[in-house]
């Protein structure tokens, strides 16, 4: 299955500043790159995704960048708020039949007041 | 919003016990997944399936069996539970190259 490396594992930023999480993947044929947010005691939920026909996607304060040549994609949270404190996971499902979806190891983001 | 329901929400068993975790999705999704989540390890894939009667091996399958009886129902079986299987278990469903919808999780404790 696709191996996805996610860094950093722990991230602390000041409220109002930006936070960035990076993922790299192996399969150059992957074409769908989701990001999930998991708040304490909750299940993971999709917050933003990007497909390989795009290089950049923004939903409000969330920005995803995709560099297919380098096989890297990243999540940027601008103007962070306390509610952004959570675990974040990336995934890069393989683009062939069996859909073995594995996740990066996760990033624990803490927003400091 | 797609619905994935897991049961039970909490389970306590003893070493050597027999446990079945249930998952039902009403989204008509082909793919269903079982993950375990442990501090420091993120979400690790145990087993998955792309349809009734199908089973695929994940990354951490040892000690687990699974069965997909219908398109809606996916079960995870621990026939001889061990303390190392104490964890938070998530079921999820999706269509191909689409988002995953997660259940609310089952907290399993093996004493």
């Amino acid at each position: 299955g696709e191996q996805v490396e996610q860094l950093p594992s722990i991230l602390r930023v000041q409220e109002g500043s930006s936070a960035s999480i990076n993922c790299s993947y192996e399969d150059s044929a992957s074409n769908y790159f989701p990001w999930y947010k998991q708040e304490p005691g909750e299940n993971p939920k999709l917050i933003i995704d990007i497909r390989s026909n795009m290089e950049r996607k923004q939903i409000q304060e969330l920005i995803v960048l995709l560099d297919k040549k380098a096989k890297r994609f990243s999540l940027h949270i601008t103007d962070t708020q306390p509610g952004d404190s959570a675990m974040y996971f990336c995934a890069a499902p393989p683009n062939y039949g069996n859909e073995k979806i594995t996740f990066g190891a996760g990033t624990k983001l803490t927003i400091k007041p | 919003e797609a619905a994935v329901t897991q049961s039970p929400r909490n389970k306590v068993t003893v070493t050597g016990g027999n446990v079945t975790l249930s998952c039902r999705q009403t989204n008509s999704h082909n793919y269903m997944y079982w993950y375990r989540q442990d501090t420091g390890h993120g979400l690790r894939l145990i087993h998955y399936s792309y349809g009734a009667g199908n089973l695929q091996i994940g990354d951490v399958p040892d000690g687990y069996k699974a069965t997909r009886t219908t398109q809606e129902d996916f079960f995870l079986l621990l026939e001889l539970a061990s303390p190392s299987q104490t964890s938070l278990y998530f079921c999820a469903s999706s269509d191909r190259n689409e988002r995953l919808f997660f259940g609310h999780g089952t907290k399993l404790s093996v004493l």
Side-chain angles (χ1 to χ4, degrees):
Chain A
E2 176 72 279
Q3 298 300 314
V4 181
E5 183 176 12
Q6 181 175 348
L7 292 170
S9 56
I10 297 173
L11 181 59
R12 298 186 181 94
V13 302
Q14 204 72 36
E15 182 177 349
S17 65
S18 296
S20 297
I21 305 170
N22 300 291
C23 287
S24 60
Y25 60 97
E26 296 180 345
D27 183 2
S28 57
S30 293
N31 61 9
Y32 175 65
F33 306 92
W35 286 93
Y36 294 84
K37 176 183 181 182
Q38 184 181 25
E39 301 190 54
E42 297 291 324
N43 55 359
K45 295 179 177 66
L46 181 81
I47 52 171
I48 191 169
D49 54 17
I50 191 168
R51 297 189 185 271
S52 59
N53 59 347
M54 300 176 70
E55 295 179 347
R56 183 182 190 276
K57 183 176 181 178
Q58 180 166 2
I59 299 176
Q60 297 179 333
E61 80 281 4
L62 304 176
I63 300 171
V64 174
L65 302 177
L66 173 61
D67 182 343
K68 289 177 289 184
K69 190 172 181 180
K71 292 190 283 186
R72 288 199 295 255
F73 58 111
S74 56
L75 173 68
H76 306 272
I77 307 173
T78 61
D79 189 22
T80 53
Q81 301 299 312
D84 294 323
S85 293
M87 285 291 296
Y88 292 82
F89 295 96
C90 64
N95 189 28
Y96 52 85
N98 70 358
E99 282 294 290
K100 182 181 179 184
I101 300 176
T102 55
F103 287 86
T107 297
K108 183 176 181 180
L109 174 62
T110 302
I111 308 303
K112 299 180 289 184
Chain B
E1 177 79 1
V4 180
T5 303
Q6 292 183 236
S7 62
R9 294 293 299 270
N10 291 280
K11 177 73 177 179
V12 180
T13 190
V14 295
T15 300
N18 194 322
V19 176
T20 298
L21 306 185
S22 301
C23 178
R24 165 165 281 207
Q25 56 99 1
T26 57
N27 315 310
S28 301
H29 287 160
N30 290 322
Y31 298 92
M32 295 187 74
Y33 302 83
W34 278 107
Y35 293 91
R36 61 176 289 174
Q37 186 173 29
D38 308 286
T39 303
H41 290 281
L43 292 158
R44 292 186 289 175
L45 181 63
I46 305 170
H47 290 299
Y48 63 110
S49 165
Y50 54 76
N54 175 264
L55 181 65
Q56 302 292 318
I57 305 298
D59 296 319
V60 289
D62 292 348
Y64 301 96
K65 293 183 179 179
T67 179
R68 180 90 176 267
T69 54
T70 64
Q71 186 179 31
E72 295 79 18
D73 298 301
F74 196 29
F75 300 93
L76 186 67
L77 298 86
L78 293 73
E79 295 183 331
L80 288 170
S82 72
S84 65
Q85 294 176 306
T86 292
S87 188
L88 179 59
Y89 292 86
F90 284 104
C91 175
S93 75
S94 78
D95 276 330
R96 187 169 182 271
N97 264 348
E98 297 293 338
R99 61 183 287 188
L100 283 170
F101 291 89
F102 286 86
H104 284 91
T106 295
K107 185 177 180 181
L108 175 66
S109 298
V110 183
L111 305 178

